[in-house]
Amino acid sequence: MTPVLYGPIGRAVKETKPYAETDPVGIYAACLSMWSAAISGTVRVNRRTPLLWTALVGRTGLGKGLAYGAAEHIMSPAIGRFLDTHTVSGLTSGASLVNHLWEQQNATAETENGRDVRTLVVEEEWSESLRRARRDHSFTPNLRIAWDGKTLRNTTKEEHQEVTGPALVMHGHITPSDWNEYVSVKEAAGGTFNRFLPIMLSAVPMLDDDTFTLPALDVDDLAEAYAWATARPRTITLGTNAKPLWRLVRRYGRILNATLPEHQAVFIQRTEEQTLRVAACLAAAECSTTITHAMLSAALSFVRYSIHSVTTLVAASETGKPRRPLTPADKVRAVIAREGSIKRGDLVRASKIPAAQLDAVLSEMDDVATERQRTHGRPATVVSLTQPERQEQRPNVVSLAEKRRARPHSPYAPQPPAQTQREQNASADPFATLRANLNR
């Protein structure tokens, strides 16, 4: 899955790609964050500023810093003055965040262009910033308010600070292990980290020349777009030919939210909003107040790449977690679940729990039942789970010795009815139909 590198920004990234030992998607993501911050004073979509918060995620040596440096090389000719005067780092508390925007607001209030609260926060050691921010409980709530463009407030001993319409963009670099340590599912569920678009970086071939330099680029069209976007307020809307795809985007986001495991779904709950914001940035880069089908499709491809990145990250973190040691009750329950119903003597041997201890374990388990049943010999104590579905699956009591004597695979055993091809396709990929529509 490779996102579409669209428009003037995408073309510049493609020209830079052969000269940079880093993933071009990382360059593209950093460019989009810079661009969204630069136009955030005047451009609106769906009554909001199209702020794009991105995070480059990759192991050391995959070129996170190189990606940002290449993005600066692309964007500087067009918006260089903005990057020089509006880029900061080290905002690790709610108070420092509000204070910076408030001071900038006051400093620009009497200028010719008027009040300016645009800010690009670049954290190339984002894990360190997140570690420090954990000590301040107001930091993440203020981040959420800033992304929404609502009023930020901070009260000090000297004064009451208030910033209306903040235009704050975050861009960070982090390794997968630090992501899993500092970016919590709880904070994502609270709405903080699903405002970011994480981008996993892939390895790229090493260049032959160690002294390579980035090429000179013609970005006059992007400079013109910056002048157009900041000349006066611009409201960007969906074009008629993009509205059918927009309905599919909304449906796609809701299906993902309903079907992904909760610890993954909390990271992608703003799929619709993120796609619209990316599309608005792409439209502004072409001096357009209308989002076309091509722009929306390119935006969706970028957001889907981010969704794939974050679900991969979360799945890896779940796999790497140490497992809790099994208790005697866990061992007993696992054997009964596997066998359905089992004689007490067989349970002792299978669970490797002494008979005297087994009675105590069973007495504390409220999800098992014991019953005396007559067999060919003496009556036996049979243990089973109390869930009906378990006992329906394995109603017969079979000793482990009898199971070993039985042939495990008989060619004459009845086989379940084969699935139709349509059922197989549906079970393998429930989003196949939707994806086909998205790719049209």
Side-chain angles (χ1 to χ4, degrees):
M1 178 188 298
T2 303
V4 176
L5 304 180
Y6 181 87
I9 295 175
R11 288 194 295 272
V13 170
K14 291 175 184 176
E15 290 181 31
T16 305
K17 175 183 174 181
Y19 303 92
E21 288 184 343
T22 186
D23 192 335
V25 181
I27 304 175
Y28 187 64
C31 286
L32 287 177
S33 279
M34 294 177 187
W35 178 247
S36 73
I39 65 174
S40 60
T42 47
V43 174
R44 297 289 183 275
V45 61
N46 197 25
R47 300 185 297 279
R48 285 188 175 181
T49 304
L51 307 172
L52 297 180
W53 294 8
T54 55
L56 303 186
V57 187
R59 295 180 180 178
T60 301
L62 282 186
K64 298 183 288 295
L66 288 175
Y68 185 80
E72 276 190 314
H73 177 77
I74 292 170
M75 302 302 294
S76 287
I79 62 169
R81 187 177 178 185
F82 166 81
L83 294 176
D84 293 338
T85 57
H86 290 73
T87 303
V88 298
S89 63
L91 301 181
T92 57
S93 71
S96 66
L97 187 151
V98 178
N99 183 67
H100 173 81
L101 293 175
W102 184 78
E103 289 181 345
Q104 186 170 312
Q105 175 179 256
N106 289 348
T108 57
E110 304 299 327
T111 61
E112 180 180 354
N113 294 326
R115 171 182 171 276
D116 186 357
V117 289
R118 296 174 298 166
T119 300
L120 174 63
V121 181
V122 179
E123 301 291 357
E124 296 197 58
E125 297 294 337
W126 194 31
S127 58
E128 179 63 19
S129 300
L130 291 174
R131 184 184 66 81
R132 294 179 181 178
R134 280 183 170 181
R135 297 188 290 237
D136 184 83
H137 297 297
S138 67
F139 182 66
T140 52
N142 280 333
L143 280 184
R144 294 193 289 269
I145 294 171
W147 191 85
D148 292 337
K150 298 178 180 178
T151 301
L152 286 166
R153 295 181 176 87
N154 185 40
T155 301
T156 67
K157 294 180 179 179
E158 295 80 18
E159 57 203 347
H160 176 73
Q161 301 174 340
E162 184 173 283
V163 180
T164 58
L168 179 79
V169 169
M170 301 281 295
H171 175 80
H173 301 169
I174 195 167
T175 63
S177 58
D178 284 340
W179 170 280
N180 293 327
E181 181 175 354
Y182 295 108
V183 180
S184 69
V185 173
K186 181 179 179 181
E187 286 289 357
T192 300
F193 291 113
N194 56 30
R195 286 168 164 81
F196 285 84
L197 289 167
I199 300 296
M200 286 278 286
L201 299 187
S202 302
V204 296
M206 185 175 67
L207 299 179
D208 293 334
D209 186 359
D210 292 337
T211 61
F212 65 90
T213 57
L214 296 176
L217 300 171
D218 180 3
V219 290
D220 289 346
D221 49 357
L222 198 56
E224 292 175 7
Y226 180 58
W228 172 86
T230 55
R232 62 181 177 84
R234 307 284 184 180
T235 299
I236 297 181
T237 58
L238 283 166
T240 302
N241 70 339
K243 289 182 178 179
L245 178 58
W246 174 242
R247 286 192 289 271
L248 284 172
V249 170
R250 296 182 64 196
R251 184 182 175 198
Y252 175 67
R254 296 183 186 190
I255 289 175
L256 282 179
N257 189 35
T259 55
L260 283 176
E262 184 178 3
H263 63 278
Q264 294 181 353
V266 293
F267 285 95
I268 56 89
Q269 289 175 340
R270 300 183 187 277
T271 296
E272 301 170 31
E273 175 77 8
Q274 297 281 27
T275 303
L276 190 62
R277 290 188 180 202
V278 175
C281 287
L282 296 179
E286 294 188 322
C287 303
S288 173
T289 57
T290 302
I291 296 172
T292 65
H293 181 279
M295 295 172 187
L296 187 60
S297 179
L300 179 59
S301 72
F302 180 74
V303 173
R304 288 177 66 193
Y305 188 90
S306 177
I307 291 172
H308 176 73
S309 295
V310 75
T311 52
T312 301
L313 280 168
V314 176
S317 70
E318 290 297 310
T319 303
K321 286 183 178 179
R323 295 186 178 182
R324 175 179 62 88
L326 292 177
T327 64
D330 292 333
K331 296 177 182 179
V332 168
R333 189 176 291 107
V335 173
I336 301 173
R338 185 176 69 243
E339 304 300 329
S341 296
I342 186 171
K343 293 179 181 180
R344 180 180 174 279
D346 290 332
L347 181 57
V348 170
R349 290 186 288 273
S351 63
K352 298 181 181 179
I353 297 174
Q357 184 183 354
L358 180 63
D359 292 335
V361 172
L362 292 175
S363 66
E364 295 178 357
M365 298 175 64
D366 56 6
D367 58 343
V368 299
T370 59
E371 181 184 1
R372 294 285 288 178
Q373 290 186 1
R374 289 186 175 276
T375 62
H376 297 296
R378 294 181 297 175
T381 299
V382 177
V383 185
S384 60
L385 292 176
T386 56
Q387 292 94 330
E389 63 271 15
R390 295 287 190 186
Q391 298 190 30
E392 288 172 5
Q393 292 172 1
R394 299 289 299 273
N396 298 323
V397 179
V398 181
S399 68
L400 294 182
E402 291 171 338
K403 286 176 66 65
R404 283 194 292 268
R405 287 195 297 268
R407 294 181 62 185
H409 301 291
S410 171
Y412 305 105
Q415 300 296 321
Q419 285 183 307
T420 64
Q421 187 64 40
R422 185 175 182 177
E423 290 172 335
Q424 292 174 356
N425 292 340
S427 61
D429 187 355
F431 303 114
T433 303
L434 181 61
R435 184 161 55 252
N437 290 329
L438 291 174
N439 292 332
R440 286 179 181 174

